[in-house]
Amino acid sequence: MEANRAFADDFALGGFDGVARAGVAIITCMDSRIAPLSMLGLSPGDAKIFRNPGGRVTEAALEALVLSVHLLNVNRILVIPHTRCAMASSTEEELRERVGASAGQDAHWQHFHVVRDQKAALADDVRRVRTHPLVPESVAIGGFIYDVDTGLLERLA
Amino acid sequence: MEANRAFADDFALGGFDGVARAGVAIITCMDSRIAPLSMLGLSPGDAKIFRNPGGRVTEAALEALVLSVHLLNVNRILVIPHTRCAMASSTEEELRERVGASAGQDAHWQHFHVVRDQKAALADDVRRVRTHPLVPESVAIGGFIYDVDTGLLERLA
């Protein structure tokens, strides 16, 4: 709360309306190594940013994108999973075993939605956005892998 | 891509393993006015950040938090919706009408998960995390509203 008060003391974003000033929406992973705005040269206010484990285009992501495109000025969508992602380098079973061992109880009931083939998943995710009936043709869509060790984006879809 | 190459030229986060160094996980909205790390005085690498429309604790958010707590060093969870959120200031019907008008087609089939009572939703969301069988008692959980006009957080749960 103290750090937040210091942040608010210098606050300069008040009165802004919440559209994406640069017209960008980003779907990416919750990973702590990802800095979605800086890695794209963007600033606060420029982009809507949806994040979940793996950076997947879920139903919730599609709902978010439809709102972004029609109400929040978005005309470019970037789907950005990343290298060395825990969601793409473990099996469902391994995650359940590791969480269960840490929790001291059987965690097999918990689903984690691991990604078996990251590139195939990305291609599929970009296609889910591209073919959505409420995402117009005029919206540009790209699929990228972010390299957490170099900071570079590689376009794959 | 050009901005990304400039970013990568100065990249200093390589080789890092993706745990949350400050032990923090944040559930917040995709809104472009929110800067999750700076508003808490945190730096890249410090936190796992899950974002969706409204900053809601969905099933996907709970899965992300279970992984964060058991495998990624998280021991504090902050749930942070914000003031003037489109998800909390429109009805489902209004959003469908506005999206439909923009899209030039009937959008009534599309669900948007609007929030009727933001404070009640926040209390419910914090309780969903608190009572989850795979989130240990030792994990601290807080519910806050972020004021997009002042930059201040108010703790409500």
Side-chain angles (χ1 to χ4, degrees):
Chain A
M1 295 306 282
E2 203 175 303
N4 174 247
R5 281 190 295 273
F7 168 77
D9 282 345
D10 295 328
F11 193 68
L13 290 169
F16 179 57
D17 65 0
V19 302
R21 278 186 296 203
V24 171
I26 303 164
I27 308 285
T28 192
C29 185
M30 66 171 183
D31 195 279
S32 51
R33 292 165 289 190
I34 297 175
L37 291 175
S38 14
M39 77 187 183
L40 292 165
L42 298 173
S43 304
D46 281 349
K48 314 303 280 188
I49 305 175
F50 182 102
R51 301 180 69 171
N52 63 17
R56 301 303 310 278
V57 176
T58 55
E59 289 302 301
L62 288 170
E63 289 175 26
L65 291 174
V66 167
L67 290 173
S68 297
V69 163
H70 290 290
L71 307 182
L72 301 163
N73 194 45
V74 165
N75 53 33
R76 281 186 295 168
I77 295 169
L78 290 79
V79 183
I80 315 180
H82 64 95
T83 58
R84 298 208 281 126
C85 182
M87 301 307 293
S89 53
S90 314
T91 65
E92 191 78 23
E93 184 62 22
E94 280 166 358
L95 289 183
R96 289 174 179 169
E97 289 289 344
R98 290 175 62 199
V99 166
S102 163
Q105 58 180 279
D106 197 323
H108 275 72
W109 63 275
Q110 177 72 63
H111 199 26
F112 291 112
H113 294 94
V114 297
V115 178
R116 279 170 206 279
D117 179 335
Q118 197 176 37
K119 289 182 182 182
L122 177 59
D124 191 54
D125 279 354
V126 167
R127 198 165 179 184
R128 293 193 77 200
V129 182
R130 181 71 289 165
T131 58
H132 194 281
L134 294 171
V135 175
E137 280 300 319
S138 58
V139 174
I141 305 164
F144 305 80
I145 301 267
Y146 176 69
D147 187 322
V148 294
D149 292 307
T150 64
L152 285 168
L153 288 166
E154 182 190 2
R155 182 158 188 176
L156 292 183
Chain B
M1 295 306 282
E2 203 175 304
N4 173 248
R5 281 190 294 272
F7 168 76
D9 281 346
D10 295 327
F11 193 69
L13 290 169
F16 179 57
D17 64 1
V19 300
R21 277 186 296 202
V24 171
I26 303 164
I27 308 285
T28 192
C29 185
M30 66 171 184
D31 195 279
S32 51
R33 293 167 288 189
I34 297 175
L37 290 176
S38 14
M39 78 186 182
L40 293 165
L42 299 173
S43 304
D46 282 348
K48 314 304 280 190
I49 305 175
F50 182 102
R51 302 180 68 170
N52 63 18
R56 301 303 311 278
V57 175
T58 56
E59 290 301 302
L62 287 170
E63 289 176 24
L65 291 175
V66 167
L67 290 173
S68 296
V69 164
H70 289 291
L71 307 182
L72 301 163
N73 194 44
V74 165
N75 53 33
R76 281 187 293 169
I77 295 169
L78 290 79
V79 183
I80 315 181
H82 65 95
T83 57
R84 297 207 281 125
C85 182
M87 301 307 292
S89 53
S90 314
T91 65
E92 190 78 24
E93 184 61 22
E94 281 165 359
L95 288 183
R96 288 172 178 170
E97 288 291 344
R98 289 174 63 198
V99 166
S102 163
Q105 59 180 278
D106 197 323
H108 275 71
W109 64 276
Q110 177 73 62
H111 199 27
F112 291 114
H113 294 95
V114 298
V115 178
R116 280 169 206 278
D117 178 336
Q118 198 175 38
K119 289 182 183 182
L122 177 59
D124 191 54
D125 278 355
V126 167
R127 196 165 179 185
R128 293 192 78 201
V129 182
R130 181 72 288 165
T131 59
H132 193 282
L134 294 171
V135 175
E137 280 301 318
S138 58
V139 174
I141 305 164
F144 305 80
I145 302 268
Y146 176 70
D147 187 322
V148 294
D149 292 308
T150 64
L152 285 168
L153 289 167
E154 182 189 4
R155 182 157 188 177
L156 292 183

